[in-house]
Every structure is written in C-alpha cells, then in structure tokens.
Amino acid sequence: MTTRQPASEPEPIKAVPLRRPGRWIAAAVILILVGLFVYGAITNPAYRWDVYAKYLFDERISQGAVVTLELTVLAMLIAVVLGTVLAVMRLSPNPVLRWVAWVYLWIFRGTPVFVQLVFWGLVPSLYKNIDLGVPFGPQFFHIDVQDLQAGFLFAVIGLGLNEAAYMAEIVRAGIGSVGEGQYEASTALGMSWSQTMRRTVLPQAMRVIIPPTGNELIGMLKTTSLVAAIPLSTDLYGRARDIYGVNFEPIPLLLVAATWYLAITSILMVGQYYLERHFSRGASRQLSAKQLQELAAAQAAVKAK
C-alpha cells in the first residue's frame, strides 16, 4: 500500500504594487508651482509684509473679528430657528401656513442679500417712528427709529432673515430624508403631527441637516463683510477698510483680514467635523472593537456547545 503524502502548503503570493508614476509627477509639478508662487509673493515688495505683520494682531482688527463672530452667531441662531419654523410650515397640512412660507422664501431667496441689507440700512428713512396701540387711542409701544442708531441690530436681522430662507430648504430636505415608516409608527403611537415632527422626525433629520448647516455657517461668516451696506464698519472687513483708507495700504490689510477669516473658518470646520460625527452615531454598519470582541466570544461559546 502506498501512503499518501501530506500536501505541502502553497507558496505565499508576492504581490507587487502597481506603480503609478503619473501621481508622483503631478505632485512634483504642483509642489514646484506652489513653491514658485510662495517665493514670488515673499520677495515681492508690493505685498508690504512689514505692514502685514504690524496690523495682524492690531487691537482694532481683533475687535473687528469679535464683532464678526457675534454677527455670525446671532444671525445663524435667527436663521436656524426661523428656518425650522418655515420648513415645518411648508410641510404643514394647513394651506395658509404653506402659502406664507412659500412667499417668504420667494422674496428672500429671490433678492440679493446686499440689496436687502441696503434696505435695512434705510429703515430710519422709511420709518421715522414705530407705534403700537389702538388707532386713535392710547399707545402701548413707541420707538424713535432715527434715535435708535442700531446698525448692529439691523445687520443681525438682515443677515438672519435672509439666511432663514436657505435654512428652511435645508431643514425641509432633512425632514424629507426620514422614511415614511417613522410617520406611520408615530401615528400608531397616538402622536399628533406636531409631536411627530418634534420627537421623531427632526432628531433623525439632523444627520442630513448638520453638514449643509455647517457650510452655511461658514458662508455667513464671510457674508458679514457685506454689512457695509447698513452701514456698519465695526466688523473685521470694515476695520481693515478703515485702516487702509488712512494709510493707503490695501493689499497688506486685505491679507490681514483674509488671514483672520481663514483662521476662524478653520476652527468652525473642526467643530463641524465633531458635530457631524456626534449625530452620525448609529448610522454606520461598521462594528466597534468592543462589539467585535463580544461577537467573537458569542461565536466561541456556540462552538463550545
């Protein structure tokens, strides 16, 4: 009888990675072009880097950056709250609410934000006084608009009302991404339409709403440079404009403003990343390390039986 020899193990496969010289060539070309641009900018005396370094951390510039952040945060708060209300109104079964929300979006999305800010700057000319009360009777509320001098307030209102129209569409898209089964389950539990929106739909829609909202926040930060139409010159760009209006050095001052905008935007992008990761929990099918260990232990226990 012949004995069967045990089969030898196959030799390991030696995988040779595919060479892609085009990538290295493209990267080298890009690095060379970037290096040439940076070298040309550094050695170009027209940039006036000494003036740039002088005003980069100037107190007026930093105060303008604080005002820009305040404008951004307050305007976005108005936009998020009002945009959510408008989105719910557009999806409401009430035709009056749907019509009002549609007209609002039609007006504020159909006209430039700069034109809207100009109108807000002209409010003291359009309305001398604001009175609330009974016609031909006692007045309960009175404001002298011309004595108000509230350029910051008008800037926040103008930016917030304009951004609310875009936030409404973002929220509406997020609500539309929630499956119809969620509505049916909420109805089966006895929830009203408003309770379904508040407790079931909106929390799930946040996964879709957060990413574009972060982009709108960054866009709002840059849109604040248009508040010169109010007019308001205490923001970051306004401060830089006032300074180069005196020393006649627009290029280094614009670079200073751009540096501050870029720094603030970078911080907001980091916050957006962690916020997206927080609301995306449970959306991925990838198991964590602890879940994989528990699954392996369960499989081992089943095989042991």
Side-chain angles (χ1 to χ4, degrees):
M1 295 178 63
T2 60
T3 58
R4 181 177 299 178
Q5 298 294 330
S8 60
E9 295 183 356
E11 296 182 0
I13 299 175
K14 297 180 180 180
V16 179
L18 181 63
R19 299 182 181 278
R20 302 181 184 273
R23 295 181 178 178
W24 295 100
I25 295 174
V29 171
I30 292 173
L31 287 176
I32 292 173
L33 293 176
V34 171
L36 290 174
F37 174 78
V38 172
Y39 176 77
I42 292 175
T43 57
N44 190 343
Y47 281 96
R48 297 300 306 274
W49 293 110
D50 55 334
V51 180
Y52 170 84
K54 176 182 178 181
Y55 289 101
L56 182 59
F57 297 104
D58 188 271
E59 184 178 359
R60 291 167 293 179
I61 296 294
S62 58
Q63 290 176 352
V66 172
V67 173
T68 294
L69 281 173
E70 292 174 348
L71 286 170
T72 303
V73 172
L74 294 176
M76 282 303 299
L77 286 176
I78 295 175
V80 170
V81 174
L82 183 57
T84 304
V85 173
L86 290 169
V88 174
M89 289 172 61
R90 286 206 66 187
L91 298 172
S92 171
N94 189 328
V96 176
L97 295 180
R98 291 202 307 268
W99 182 81
V100 171
W102 184 87
V103 170
Y104 182 96
L105 267 62
W106 173 62
I107 293 175
F108 282 92
R109 292 174 65 196
T111 55
V113 60
F114 186 82
V115 175
Q116 296 175 26
L117 292 175
V118 170
F119 271 102
W120 282 104
L122 294 174
V123 165
S125 300
L126 296 172
Y127 301 97
K128 309 295 183 182
N129 301 288
I130 297 178
D131 298 317
L132 295 178
V134 179
F136 307 104
Q139 295 182 355
F140 305 108
F141 186 75
H142 172 77
I143 293 180
D144 190 343
V145 180
Q146 291 185 332
D147 292 339
L148 196 57
Q149 300 295 331
F152 182 86
L153 176 62
F154 289 146
V156 170
I157 294 174
L159 293 172
L161 294 183
N162 176 266
E163 184 61 31
Y166 297 93
M167 283 302 306
E169 291 299 285
I170 292 174
V171 174
R172 188 168 69 94
I175 293 174
S177 66
V178 180
E180 296 182 359
Q182 303 294 323
Y183 295 89
E184 296 171 356
S186 299
T187 303
L189 292 174
M191 293 186 185
S192 63
W193 183 85
S194 60
Q195 290 175 333
T196 300
M197 284 290 176
R198 187 173 65 255
R199 299 178 181 179
T200 305
V201 177
L202 287 177
Q204 297 183 62
M206 293 300 291
R207 296 172 182 170
V208 179
I209 294 173
I210 289 297
T213 301
N215 294 333
E216 292 296 317
L217 177 63
I218 294 173
M220 175 62 72
L221 175 71
K222 295 176 288 187
T223 306
T224 55
S225 61
L226 299 178
V227 296
I230 295 294
L232 180 67
S233 61
T234 57
D235 65 305
L236 176 58
Y237 175 69
R239 291 291 190 181
R241 188 180 63 250
D242 291 343
I243 294 174
Y244 73 68
V246 176
N247 63 9
F248 302 105
E249 295 286 354
I251 294 177
L253 267 301
L254 290 176
L255 289 174
V256 167
T259 302
W260 276 88
Y261 280 119
L262 185 60
I264 299 173
T265 300
S266 301
I267 296 173
L268 294 179
M269 291 174 64
V270 173
Q272 178 185 357
Y273 167 77
Y274 285 104
L275 195 60
E276 289 180 13
R277 193 173 70 172
H278 172 75
F279 281 100
S280 64
R281 290 183 305 177
S284 176
R285 295 181 179 271
Q286 184 176 2
L287 299 179
S288 63
K290 184 178 180 180
Q291 290 173 331
L292 289 173
Q293 292 175 358
E294 293 177 351
L295 181 60
Q299 290 177 347
V302 171
K303 290 182 180 179
K305 294 181 180 179

